[in-house]
Amino acid sequence: MSTADQQAPRSLAEALRARDDASLAALLRARPDLITPVPTDLTQLATRAGTRASVVRALERLDAFALQTAEALAVAGDPATWDELLGLMAGDARDPAVVTALPGALAALREQALVWGADDRLRLVRTARELLAPSAQHPSPTGLGPSVREATAGMSPGRIQEFVANAGLPSTHDPVSAVSALTSLFSRRRKMAALLAKAPAGSLDVLERLVWGPPYGQVTAEPAAHLRWLLDRGMLLPTAPGTVVLPREVALHLRAGRAHRSPLPTPPAVPPLVTHRPEVVDATAAGQAYTALTTVEELLKEWDEGGPAVLRAGGLSVRDLKRTAVALDVSEPVAAFWVELAYAAGLLASDGEADERYAATPEYDDWLERPPAERWARLAQAWLTATRTSGVVGGRDLKERALAALGPGLDRSAAPEVRRRVLTLLAGLPEGAVPDAEAVLARLRWERPLRGARPQGGAGPHGQQGPQNQQGAAASQGSQAAQSAPSAIGSHGVHGSYGSHGFQEDEDLRSRIARWTLTEAELLGVTGRGALSAHGRALLGAGAATVARPAAAGAVPAGPGDKLPAHHRAAAPSGAASAPGPEQAVATAAAARLLAPLLPEPLDHVLLQADLTAVAPGPLRRPLADVLSVLADVESKGGATVYRFTPGSVRRALDAGRSASDLHAFLAEHSRTPVPQPLAYLIDDVARRHGHLRVGAASAYVRCDDESMLNEILADKRAVALRLRRLAPTVLAAQVDPAALLDGLRAMGFAPAAESAEGDVLISRAHSRRTPPRTAPEPVPDGPPVPDGTLLTAAIRAIRAGDLAATAPRKPAEDAAPLGPGQLPRTSSAETLATMQAAVLTGEALWIGYVNAEGAASQRVIAPVRVEGGFVTAYDHTADEVRTYPLHRITGVAELAGD
């Protein structure tokens, strides 16, 4: 055995053992599921890295070219060489772009522990090979079929010898060498070309129909001559009665050695469609940001006295969503977005009462007191990190239940990652540049071809049911060839249609979230006219334009074995979408500072009109806006808000405790135009009649000094429902409650006032209903969180120490069977105590098995210092500290062979 063979790793565990701490940290950061919980040693880490769930998750986070590289390794030999892989990816023509980008893709697979071994012995992790390799039931994403050896397994030796003889090869003594000879013939370009040159007309057309997959076809009982010629030479091999397959070696010859029809070594560009001046973009975005604030305020003001009822299954009913959309003057999907945004920001929640309804939270009042820029920043941050996705409202879940706004089932764990990635792509363009939406989607598909793609038939990458994310969509298969029935090969060739390679017609989840992101960013004012604003860039934080942006192909190393450049490494998983950290808080504050000068200054005046309207030429200061919203009704909104004064709105202000003189003074103070005479007459007329009638509690009564007015009420047919009767010349009694009596008299055109038991007029101020204190909904994590530096350092240290304990050479015990991997030493209590006491005297290290109080077993290397009272105090090399262990929890002890 050569020195190189001795140094080459024989397993993934050995390959991981040869890595340095920085490389292990990169692996655990890219695949955080491997560290939950922390493995006891590198063997356990390698085992966990090869499990199906972990491999599927890692494959989902590969870009298109790295995934194509893994797919090529799945159809290559095991192990494969660099030259073999290069041939499968770049073809006989050696595509320069592929040659340049391949080392980076291979390094990414190595970093994620999907590939291990030197360049002359590349091995794809077995689970990944099983997922990506072709089989009779599940075609390969490359469209290739089984090899000659796989397709002829179980075939009679005589039939195989017939293939060899018909192909012009000398006969062999056994089927294994016959298959090898046939494989060698199909793999040699010149000999294969010479053989195909003798093929009858129509044979090559049949092969061309199968070459890019699916590789299976159907033949009749008596195939035509050109088909018989292919069948006799093994270029089409039978797999079942009436079904044949194109061997992999033949397909690769016809493909000029390429495993994929269209290699994707470089990410699609995201070119700008049009460019606006940055000042125009920022101004437009700021205007929309202010509209977002007023829309949220209007929504919660609409629900100020208690919003819609909560459905039994949770969420808003379709009718309530329609009413909300009408009140906000927007479409229902946009209304769902604003409702979900307020909920994600913690401004809206259910009150938890028996008759449960939605209402504003106490946090909403604090939010109203903040400057507008800070209020917008809170909304933008909540949107950026939320996993609740309003775009799915109106759809169906896996159980065909309707998805309602504010209801369960709206969380999409990929949403924060996609939103940030879309905005990052926009940040990478010149300022003011508007991207092509389809180019953005194409880029996202290249970066995560499997992530969020909907599998055909609910299958994973290998066609079997894959793990599902929180949304219920299986994460698999974006680039897998569509499965279709075998094509019919009749007397004239191959008939039937083929499934297309690449993405399915039904748009995947990530693409839909990306489209929603572009729309929602414009609604929220993160973008303006389709371009990212200055405060939108600040919201992403420093370096947003370069995060996860693979560089051009020319920047990737050109030779095998080069280290992976930082720009081509797989982006770290988003992990748990949790509360914003310090970096996000700094970015949000910076965005608020940039937005603040662009927002309009609130005004302290309105323009009164002679037609009983008031025009607010801009946003109003809060005291003025609050009073005016009670005194008048909003008639139209836009750049300027129009308020209309009506008898009902004036009476509403009087009911809130304002007098006629207060209203006159208020309008005169805040109007830049004289108070119109019709408005003054309206206020005086309503005030003169306001409170002339008094309603109190008997069940209810009406009293008035004017007997004629009471006679008028009794004579009115509309008062029948109130069931009034006269108790005295100035008092009427009713059999309805005071609130119903007030409403009934007001509907008849009167202006009654409620009074207390003492006879004083009750002032009915606007009541703001609030929920108990509520916290904003927690985002649903997209898998385990990415470990921080401290956790990575501690985990790697523990794994190294555990690996040292598991692999430390030990002296063989007399009359003891050798222990297998992971097995704990077993010795009697007396032998354990004696060995410990001897080690205290000699200072030697020991290997022990230990079971803690929770029943978890582990192996440790310790140097005993003191043994007394049933405990051993020792320096634990595994934990790098002095610890005390109960002797009864030590399963056994063994001496180490060396220091």
Side-chain angles (χ1 to χ4, degrees):
M1 182 180 295
S2 66
T3 305
D5 291 337
Q6 292 176 348
Q7 294 177 350
R10 294 171 296 177
S11 65
L12 178 58
E14 289 191 9
L16 294 178
R17 198 165 284 123
R19 291 192 179 195
D20 57 17
D21 288 354
S23 180
L24 281 180
L27 169 62
L28 298 178
R29 193 177 292 111
R31 299 176 63 178
D33 56 295
L34 301 182
I35 203 175
T36 310
V38 177
T40 57
D41 52 39
L42 288 170
T43 301
Q44 189 180 87
L45 176 63
T47 302
R48 193 177 297 174
T51 58
R52 182 184 178 89
S54 182
V55 170
V56 168
R57 184 174 179 82
L59 291 175
E60 288 177 353
R61 296 194 171 275
L62 296 178
D63 61 45
F65 189 63
L67 181 61
Q68 286 182 333
T69 304
E71 293 166 353
L73 283 170
V75 297
D78 187 22
T81 64
W82 166 260
D83 290 335
E84 184 181 0
L85 175 62
L86 183 61
L88 288 171
M89 294 300 296
D92 296 343
R94 291 298 191 263
D95 184 347
V98 175
V99 172
T100 304
L102 185 57
L106 181 60
L109 295 175
R110 275 189 172 129
E111 182 182 87
Q112 298 230 19
L114 294 172
V115 171
W116 57 277
D119 290 330
D120 59 342
R121 297 180 64 83
L122 296 171
R123 292 185 183 274
L124 187 66
V125 172
R126 183 182 62 182
T127 307
R129 178 176 289 274
E130 292 173 352
L131 290 169
L132 300 175
S135 69
Q137 294 77 24
H138 311 292
S140 165
T142 61
L144 293 169
S147 64
V148 173
R149 180 181 58 82
E150 295 167 343
T152 57
M155 193 175 292
S156 66
R159 183 58 174 156
I160 298 175
Q161 293 294 341
E162 289 178 9
F163 295 150
V164 172
N166 292 332
L169 299 174
S171 60
T172 63
H173 299 287
D174 58 88
V176 175
S177 58
V179 169
S180 299
L182 203 60
T183 301
S184 177
L185 171 63
F186 292 161
S187 302
R188 295 185 178 182
R189 296 288 185 266
R190 290 185 180 180
K191 289 188 176 182
M192 188 63 177
L195 180 61
L196 289 176
K198 303 175 184 177
S203 297
L204 292 181
D205 293 337
V206 173
L207 297 180
E208 288 295 334
R209 296 292 299 274
L210 298 176
V211 65
W212 292 108
Y216 295 91
Q218 293 178 344
V219 296
T220 59
E222 296 183 1
H226 63 283
L227 290 176
R228 173 55 62 188
W229 190 90
L230 296 173
L231 291 168
D232 289 343
R233 286 154 183 79
M235 294 186 189
L236 291 178
L237 293 173
T239 60
T243 304
V244 295
V245 66
L246 180 68
R248 185 184 309 167
E249 293 82 359
V250 178
L252 287 174
H253 172 80
L254 297 173
R255 297 180 178 194
R258 286 186 289 122
H260 297 87
R261 173 178 285 183
S262 301
L264 302 171
T266 56
V270 183
L273 286 180
V274 65
T275 302
H276 303 292
R277 289 190 300 111
E279 296 81 6
V280 174
V281 171
D282 292 346
T284 304
Q288 190 57 43
Y290 193 85
T291 302
L293 295 178
T294 57
T295 303
V296 172
E297 290 181 34
E298 185 178 351
L299 167 68
L300 294 177
K301 188 179 293 182
E302 184 74 17
W303 294 359
D304 207 29
E305 297 184 18
V310 180
L311 292 175
R312 182 179 301 176
L316 283 179
S317 67
V318 175
R319 180 179 299 176
D320 287 329
L321 183 61
K322 289 182 178 179
R323 289 174 179 169
T324 303
V326 171
L328 298 180
D329 194 21
V330 296
S331 64
E332 291 177 35
V334 175
F337 167 70
W338 292 120
V339 169
E340 283 291 338
L341 180 62
Y343 178 58
L347 309 178
L348 174 67
S350 61
D351 56 14
E353 301 292 337
D355 181 19
E356 195 171 16
R357 311 186 76 84
Y358 288 107
T361 63
E363 191 67 24
Y364 171 64
D365 298 313
D366 297 335
W367 179 76
L368 283 177
E369 298 302 321
R370 295 182 177 275
E374 293 185 17
R375 284 188 279 141
W376 175 86
R378 175 165 178 172
L379 294 179
Q381 178 177 283
W383 169 74
L384 191 62
T385 58
T387 56
R388 292 186 64 85
T389 309
S390 63
V392 300
V393 171
R396 298 275 175 177
D397 62 10
L398 291 177
K399 297 182 179 179
E400 289 301 316
R401 294 174 298 195
L403 296 173
L406 298 179
L410 299 188
D411 285 288
R412 299 293 181 270
S413 56
E417 178 190 353
V418 175
R419 290 193 195 107
R420 183 171 288 276
R421 186 67 190 121
V422 169
L423 297 184
T424 301
L425 290 175
L426 268 63
L429 298 175
E431 292 186 3
V434 181
D436 179 8
E438 293 304 322
V440 172
L441 299 183
R443 178 60 169 269
L444 290 177
R445 294 190 189 106
W446 185 91
E447 292 178 354
R448 294 288 187 272
L450 295 185
R451 186 71 169 163
R454 182 179 300 174
Q456 299 175 358
H462 195 48
Q464 299 180 10
Q465 188 67 33
Q468 296 184 349
N469 54 20
Q470 277 81 4
Q471 298 80 34
S476 63
Q477 183 169 330
S479 62
Q480 181 174 342
Q483 297 182 23
S484 61
S487 301
I489 303 179
S491 59
H492 300 288
V494 182
H495 303 279
S497 60
Y498 288 87
S500 60
H501 292 262
F503 295 93
Q504 304 172 39
E505 295 180 2
D506 189 11
E507 196 170 46
D508 61 88
L509 175 65
R510 281 174 61 88
S511 296
R512 286 184 288 146
I513 294 177
R515 290 188 185 276
W516 298 331
T517 297
L518 293 172
T519 301
E520 294 167 359
E522 193 75 15
L523 285 173
L524 194 53
V526 176
T527 59
R529 298 194 176 186
L532 192 64
S533 62
H535 49 275
R537 292 175 187 272
L539 185 67
L540 289 176
T546 57
V547 173
R549 288 175 56 83
V556 183
D562 289 345
K563 291 185 178 180
L564 175 66
H567 63 260
H568 206 286
R569 289 176 183 161
S574 60
S578 56
E583 294 182 358
Q584 183 59 56
V586 171
T588 303
R593 286 194 299 270
L594 289 175
L595 178 63
L598 302 175
L599 294 176
E601 281 292 331
L603 303 176
D604 61 352
H605 65 274
V606 294
L607 305 176
L608 296 177
Q609 309 290 319
D611 60 349
L612 297 181
T613 61
V615 177
L620 300 178
R621 292 183 178 176
R622 182 150 308 282
L624 172 58
D626 292 341
V627 175
L628 198 59
S629 65
V630 176
L631 180 58
D633 298 324
V634 177
E635 187 170 82
S636 65
K637 294 176 291 185
T641 305
V642 178
Y643 295 86
R644 178 164 293 280
F645 300 95
T646 65
S649 67
V650 173
R651 184 177 64 243
R652 188 169 62 230
L654 295 173
D655 287 343
R658 300 272 181 170
S659 64
S661 59
D662 292 338
L663 299 180
H664 286 301
F666 172 80
L667 293 174
E669 179 183 358
H670 294 95
S671 176
R672 290 291 177 89
T673 59
V675 179
Q677 194 176 52
L679 178 57
Y681 285 167
L682 175 65
I683 294 173
D684 291 338
D685 183 56
V686 174
R688 183 170 51 255
R689 295 185 297 126
H690 185 264
H692 196 51
L693 292 176
R694 300 290 184 89
V695 173
S699 287
Y701 65 83
V702 180
R703 69 181 181 88
C704 181
D705 296 335
D706 188 352
E707 296 183 26
S708 62
M709 181 173 290
L710 296 182
N711 292 332
E712 180 183 350
I713 293 174
L714 286 173
D716 197 317
K717 294 182 179 180
R718 293 173 294 179
V720 174
L722 303 178
R723 291 181 288 178
L724 297 170
R725 62 187 179 88
R726 190 186 294 273
L727 296 181
T730 59
V731 179
L732 298 178
Q735 297 184 29
V736 295
D737 59 84
L741 183 56
L742 280 169
D743 293 339
L745 293 175
R746 287 170 179 170
M748 295 167 60
F750 298 97
E755 71 176 13
S756 64
E758 292 77 19
D760 300 325
V761 175
L762 289 175
I763 298 174
S764 57
R765 301 186 184 276
H767 173 65
S768 297
R769 184 171 181 175
R770 294 291 181 265
T771 70
R774 295 282 192 265
T775 57
E778 286 291 332
V780 173
D782 184 18
V786 179
D788 56 20
T790 304
L791 176 58
L792 281 176
T793 301
I796 292 174
R797 183 177 172 185
I799 293 172
R800 294 278 193 204
D803 198 60
L804 172 65
T807 59
R810 296 174 285 276
K811 291 181 180 180
E814 297 180 0
D815 301 329
L819 295 175
Q823 291 185 345
L824 300 181
R826 298 287 180 178
T827 57
S828 64
S829 301
E831 186 178 355
T832 298
L833 179 60
T835 305
M836 289 286 184
Q837 292 173 338
V840 171
L841 299 176
T842 61
E844 293 181 352
L846 300 175
W847 176 59
I848 66 170
Y850 180 73
V851 179
N852 63 15
E854 287 76 28
S858 61
Q859 305 176 50
R860 299 176 181 275
V861 175
I862 66 171
V865 177
R866 183 174 61 255
V867 179
E868 60 182 8
F871 292 87
V872 56
T873 302
Y875 175 77
D876 191 332
H877 291 273
T878 308
D880 195 19
E881 64 182 9
V882 175
R883 290 185 174 181
T884 300
Y885 298 101
L887 285 173
H888 70 276
R889 293 194 177 276
I890 297 177
T891 65
V893 63
E895 298 180 8
L896 298 180
D899 291 337

